[in-house]
Amino acid sequence: MKNNANIEKRIEETLALADNVSPSEPPPFLYAKVMAKLEQNKPAVSQPFFIARPVLAYAAVICLLLLNFFVFILKSENDQPIVSDNSSNDEYSYSVTSIYDLENLKP
């Protein structure tokens, strides 16, 4: 019991010390100093290599346009209608099953 009373007394003393502590005040202009330091150490935003050099970006766009042009020309030369023997029969031979089948009314 004496040990319990001693522990409770020490706890009360420790809590009483916390009552006497005053809140700390930050130094003046602390926020401004911290923000200035962060701005100073901020790494530069890196851009992709091809955007940083407009000549490369323009060359890439021109290459893509030329590729599209050649693909269009080759496709138009080989563009012939495909005629199938069963083309007229295939138009009407759809077999679609539906969840709204009226013949099967019972689950």
Side-chain angles (χ1 to χ4, degrees):
M1 286 286 186
K2 186 177 181 184
N3 201 8
N4 261 350
N6 191 17
I7 290 175
E8 287 182 21
K9 183 180 176 185
R10 293 191 72 187
I11 291 174
E12 290 298 325
E13 288 174 359
T14 306
L15 290 175
L17 288 174
D19 291 338
N20 296 334
V21 175
S22 63
S24 62
E25 293 286 328
F29 303 107
L30 175 69
Y31 181 75
K33 290 178 185 177
V34 169
M35 292 309 290
K37 194 69 158 176
L38 285 174
E39 284 292 324
Q40 181 182 7
N41 293 336
K42 186 181 283 187
V45 177
S46 63
Q47 294 179 343
F49 182 71
F50 63 90
I51 293 178
R53 298 185 182 235
V55 173
L56 295 176
Y58 289 136
V61 168
I62 290 172
C63 287
L64 285 174
L65 289 174
L66 287 174
L67 180 68
N68 285 337
F69 177 73
F70 286 124
V71 167
F72 179 73
I73 293 297
L74 291 175
K75 183 173 176 8
S76 65
E77 288 176 359
N78 295 334
D79 200 15
Q80 298 172 356
I82 299 173
V83 178
S84 173
D85 296 339
N86 298 329
S87 64
S88 62
N89 295 338
D90 288 340
E91 287 183 29
Y92 301 105
S93 65
Y94 290 115
S95 61
V96 177
T97 58
S98 173
I99 61 171
Y100 303 110
D101 192 9
L102 296 179
E103 292 178 16
N104 187 9
L105 297 176
K106 293 183 181 180

